[in-house]
Amino acid sequence: MSSAVFTYESLVHAVSGAMGSVTAMTVFFPLDTARLRLQVDEHRKAKSTPAILAEIVKEEGLQALYRGWFPVICSLCCSNFVYFYCFHSLKANWLKGKQSTTSSDLIIGIAAGVVNVLVTTPLWVVNTRLKLQGSNFRNEDIRPTNYSGILDAFMQIIRGEGVGALWNGTFPSLLLVLNPAIQFMIYEGLKRQLRRGVPRELSSVEAFMIGAVAKMVATVVTYPLQTIQSILRFGQFNESMDKSRLLSSLRTIKCLLVNRVRKYGILGLFKGLEAKLLQTVLTAALMFLLYEKIASCTFRIMGLNKIHYKKR
């Protein structure tokens, strides 16, 4: 077990995935800013993504598009390192050199996602707060916050809301492990189809396109829960007071979903989807392209390229 989990191959996948995701997110970060504003600020009208970006720049300056970049990049780097490492180490341990299947990719992806959520949720709670701090909200009920940085945000949240607040949105996040699981299932499946049993490196266009398709499907399927996740991480909502933590989480999610549908209709659950699709699809496509190239280059240097492709 330990020899399959702790390997250089899993480490290479983890580092390649983390580097690819950080680079891709930096390039498309303003699109994520637009998406988050639309999800959290209920009174902001869902205009086109360029219009939202122009509005933010006009009201808050160009730097507002990259507000919270550092904590997001830190969280993303840690999150993708954990996910890629868990996914490939679990895959190596489960398959033991055999060809993977669609069902095995989905199950392994869900398991890796659960580990990732439990480990990195506090980082995502903090970066959501920092990214929205100082924003001009249309909703006057939103309370302003004053965090000086990542550590200060951690301390203020713990002092003011308790340690449990760092795991706000954990339940919908656990449900959302389906997002990367579906993404990796589709990505790995399309990759197998393109190779058709021949161990070879994907071209840049192939990696970009199947990464985009995989993320687009996963995002559309899980977007309503992503919206609820953002609201819960922001922390400004009336939480259910049930004694059961699980029951409380379920009722809070149901309440937020129902209220949003009542106010804005079914389409309200998909508010900000255009910005999210632009950001997440382009980011994922570029991430997978960079991930494949970095991993391939590293394995080639290590002399493990042929063995690596045969395993996949």
Side-chain angles (χ1 to χ4, degrees):
M1 173 72 177
S2 60
S3 61
V5 173
F6 301 106
T7 63
Y8 283 117
E9 187 171 350
S10 295
L11 184 61
V12 170
H13 284 299
V15 172
S16 301
M19 290 175 64
S21 63
V22 164
T23 305
M25 175 57 87
T26 299
V27 172
F28 297 114
F29 193 82
L31 295 175
D32 193 54
T33 298
R35 181 270 308 175
L36 193 57
R37 291 293 182 89
L38 286 169
Q39 285 182 325
V40 172
D41 191 357
E42 293 184 350
H43 293 175
R44 184 181 288 274
K45 293 181 180 179
K47 303 173 183 176
S48 67
T49 301
I52 293 293
L53 293 173
E55 199 173 67
I56 293 171
V57 171
K58 182 179 178 181
E59 294 178 359
E60 304 168 42
L62 187 62
Q63 75 280 1
L65 297 180
Y66 279 88
R67 182 181 291 126
W69 172 83
F70 183 71
V72 168
I73 290 302
C74 289
S75 302
L76 190 68
C77 185
C78 293
S79 181
N80 276 280
F81 183 92
V82 171
Y83 192 90
F84 273 83
Y85 193 97
C86 288
F87 182 85
H88 288 284
S89 61
L90 289 172
K91 191 172 183 177
N93 186 67
W94 187 346
L95 299 176
K96 299 186 186 302
K98 297 178 183 177
Q99 182 74 17
S100 62
T101 63
T102 300
S103 59
S104 66
D105 285 335
L106 182 62
I107 294 168
I108 293 168
I110 290 172
V114 170
V115 174
N116 182 39
V117 165
L118 296 177
V119 172
T120 64
T121 290
L123 288 170
W124 288 111
V125 168
V126 166
N127 90 55
T128 299
R129 305 282 184 98
L130 288 171
K131 191 169 183 180
L132 291 169
Q133 182 170 269
S135 303
N136 289 332
F137 292 110
R138 300 294 187 270
N139 188 349
E140 296 177 356
D141 294 333
I142 293 177
R143 303 181 302 276
T145 55
N146 184 28
Y147 305 127
S148 60
I150 296 174
L151 291 178
D152 182 55
F154 269 112
M155 296 306 297
Q156 284 198 44
I157 292 170
I158 292 170
R159 282 198 303 264
E161 304 169 49
V163 175
L166 292 174
W167 276 269
N168 277 350
T170 296
F171 191 73
S173 295
L174 287 172
L175 296 178
L176 278 170
V177 300
L178 284 171
N179 184 294
I182 292 170
Q183 176 186 343
F184 268 74
M185 177 187 72
I186 295 173
Y187 182 81
E188 294 291 328
L190 291 174
K191 186 191 293 186
R192 284 192 294 272
Q193 289 298 315
L194 286 172
R195 286 175 174 165
R196 291 183 177 84
V198 179
R200 67 175 179 87
E201 180 181 344
L202 292 180
S203 70
S204 297
V205 173
E206 287 174 334
F208 189 90
M209 291 304 296
I210 65 175
V213 170
K215 192 61 179 179
M216 180 169 59
V217 174
T219 298
V220 172
V221 169
T222 61
Y223 190 77
L225 277 175
Q226 291 183 49
T227 299
I228 300 308
Q229 180 192 55
S230 295
I231 294 169
L232 289 170
R233 283 175 174 172
F234 193 36
Q236 304 205 23
F237 62 97
N238 295 319
E239 191 171 7
S240 174
M241 300 304 291
D242 289 310
K243 291 182 180 179
S244 168
R245 190 79 173 169
L246 176 61
L247 190 58
S248 176
S249 297
L250 285 169
R251 288 189 175 176
T252 299
I253 292 169
K254 179 185 175 183
C255 180
L256 289 170
L257 286 170
V258 169
N259 285 344
R260 205 166 183 89
V261 171
R262 283 176 178 170
K263 284 183 179 179
Y264 310 107
I266 292 295
L267 291 179
L269 296 176
F270 294 89
K271 187 181 179 186
L273 179 60
E274 178 198 357
K276 179 64 175 177
L277 278 176
L278 272 174
Q279 178 264 326
T280 198
V281 170
L282 291 174
T283 300
L286 181 57
M287 179 199 75
F288 275 116
L289 188 159
L290 294 172
Y291 155 68
E292 291 287 349
K293 296 306 175 184
I294 294 169
S296 174
C297 182
T298 306
F299 284 126
R300 191 177 293 115
I301 292 170
M302 294 171 68
L304 299 173
N305 221 33
K306 291 183 179 179
I307 298 173
H308 165 62
Y309 288 123
K310 284 180 181 178
K311 285 182 178 180
R312 302 180 76 192

